[in-house]
Amino acid sequence: MLNSGEKIFMALATVEFLLGILVNGFIVLVNCIDWVKSKKLPSNDLILVSMAISRIGLSCTIIWNIYLILISFDAPTQVRIIDVFLVLSHNSNIWFATILSIFYFLKITNFSNPLFLWMKWRIDRRLFMLLIVPFIMSLPIIFPMMERTRYYGSILSRGKERNVTQEVQVSKNKLIMLQVLFGLLSLIPFALSTISFCLLIFSLWRHTRQMQQNATGSRDPSTEAHVRAMKAVSSFLILFLLYHMGLCVYYWSDSEAKSKLASKLGMSIMLLYPFGHSLILILWNSKLRQASLWVQETYILVGRRHTW
């Protein structure tokens, strides 16, 4: 039986989950409708759809795990399945968001560097490979690490039950090492997104200086595009850090009462990321923003007709 605190936490997690499904489902629906109408899917929309689908999977996996924790359901098979889905959705989602940051950088900025020009001209043709290849290449590294993490975690819990101090300490050290390595793997996409963000800032600074030299006072479309891209990338970086804080809290907690509370808190923080960044993308993407305004206006009109 759940106590009042657990009921509040379950309600909060459920609201976060439903918001994530709603926001990311909206992104998929709008772009798929546009795809059917125009018979083509632009590169930017393809990245958004891929990222939204992976975030729906991530939200479902997190809420599934939260419910199992709340009801104290001990099923090793289900826990293993959750870990597999969590690795797949976590890894794909981070890479898709990173590729979106790189895509914004390549499409908006202008540099004369030969490597930059080569990437700028070929990103549309290589987009599918960029979405799939890093994700597939990381799986042979992450899945063995996940299995070893579970193995040392089971040794750690069995050692605590038998009160074997040395065995517990060795397993705990190895478990911490694996978790640190897992975190370091996530530093690669985070570093790429950070570099893209810094280069966007530099490109905006250079563009603003050229406008001042040309005595152009108003902000032009290039400046607006820079600002929108920087907001999207910076929000991803902030929410990405929050997500990893929650992930660390979740993985570093054990089965004790206080650690169970920390685990629930970590999962709740993780749920902020799938819907938070997608909501920001809707607000700063002109097509998605217009579609959301149309839905809002339609909802208001339908509500007025019912009141009449």
Side-chain angles (χ1 to χ4, degrees), residues 26 282 285-295:
F26 177 78
I282 289 175
N285 183 288
S286 57
K287 181 175 72 174
L288 294 175
R289 187 175 63 253
Q290 289 174 3
S292 64
L293 291 174
W294 179 82
V295 171

Side-chain angles (χ1 to χ4, degrees), residues 45-235:
D45 294 343
L46 175 60
I47 301 173
L48 287 174
V49 169
S50 303
M51 187 171 60
I53 292 173
S54 71
R55 285 178 175 175
I56 290 172
L58 181 62
S59 298
C60 292
T61 305
I62 294 174
I63 198 69
W64 183 11
N65 200 11
I66 285 175
Y67 285 163
L68 290 182
I69 292 172
L70 285 173
I71 64 176
S72 299
F73 187 70
D74 188 14
T77 304
Q78 288 208 32
V79 172
R80 186 176 292 271
I81 292 172
I82 287 175
D83 283 344
V84 170
F85 277 105
L86 186 60
V87 166
L88 291 173
S89 56
H90 163 88
N91 202 36
S92 61
N93 175 51
I94 288 176
W95 275 111
F96 293 160
T98 301
I99 290 169
L100 182 65
S101 302
I102 296 172
F103 181 84
Y104 284 153
F105 158 66
L106 291 175
K107 287 298 182 179
I108 293 172
T109 59
N110 285 302
F111 293 101
S112 57
N113 184 277
L115 178 61
F116 171 82
L117 294 174
W118 182 85
M119 293 174 64
K120 189 181 182 74
W121 292 335
R122 285 165 177 78
I123 186 161
D124 290 320
R125 301 175 189 174
R126 308 288 186 221
L127 184 61
F128 183 77
M129 291 181 61
L130 286 172
L131 288 171
I132 299 299
V133 171
F135 169 64
I136 294 177
M137 288 179 62
S138 62
L139 295 182
I141 302 172
I142 291 178
F143 274 118
M145 288 177 60
M146 183 188 71
E147 289 298 320
R148 299 306 295 176
T149 301
R150 180 160 297 282
Y151 171 72
Y152 288 123
S154 63
I155 292 177
L156 187 62
S157 57
R158 287 200 305 268
K160 282 186 176 181
E161 291 174 2
R162 298 198 307 266
N163 199 22
V164 184
T165 307
Q166 185 176 0
E167 187 178 12
V168 167
Q169 189 61 40
V170 171
S171 299
K172 189 173 183 178
N173 291 337
K174 291 183 178 180
L175 186 62
I176 291 174
M177 187 185 301
L178 284 170
Q179 289 170 344
V180 169
L181 288 174
F182 184 77
L184 288 175
L185 286 176
S186 298
L187 279 179
I188 298 173
F190 181 78
L192 291 173
S193 296
T194 305
I195 292 170
S196 300
F197 178 69
C198 293
L199 289 173
L200 277 167
I201 293 176
F202 176 73
S203 176
L204 178 61
W205 171 78
R206 191 179 65 172
H207 178 72
T208 304
R209 191 177 63 174
Q210 289 175 353
M211 287 179 61
Q212 290 174 348
Q213 291 174 353
N214 296 330
T216 306
S218 59
R219 295 211 300 185
D220 64 333
S222 179
T223 304
E224 297 289 344
H226 274 83
V227 172
R228 285 197 300 268
M230 286 169 55
K231 288 179 179 178
V233 177
S234 62
S235 62

Side-chain angles (χ1 to χ4, degrees), residues 243-290:
Y243 171 81
H244 266 273
M245 285 172 57
L247 189 65
C248 290
V249 170
Y250 166 68
Y251 273 116
W252 284 40
S253 59
D254 52 36
S255 59
E256 295 175 2
K258 289 184 179 179
S259 296
K260 266 195 171 183
L261 179 62
S263 179
K264 296 170 189 174
L265 178 63
M267 299 295 278
S268 181
I269 294 172
M270 289 171 66
L271 274 173
L272 288 172
Y273 168 70
F275 90 86
H277 184 236
S278 297
L279 180 62
I280 291 170
L281 290 176
I282 289 175
L283 295 175
W284 292 331
N285 183 288
S286 57
K287 181 175 72 174
L288 294 175
R289 187 175 63 253
Q290 289 174 3

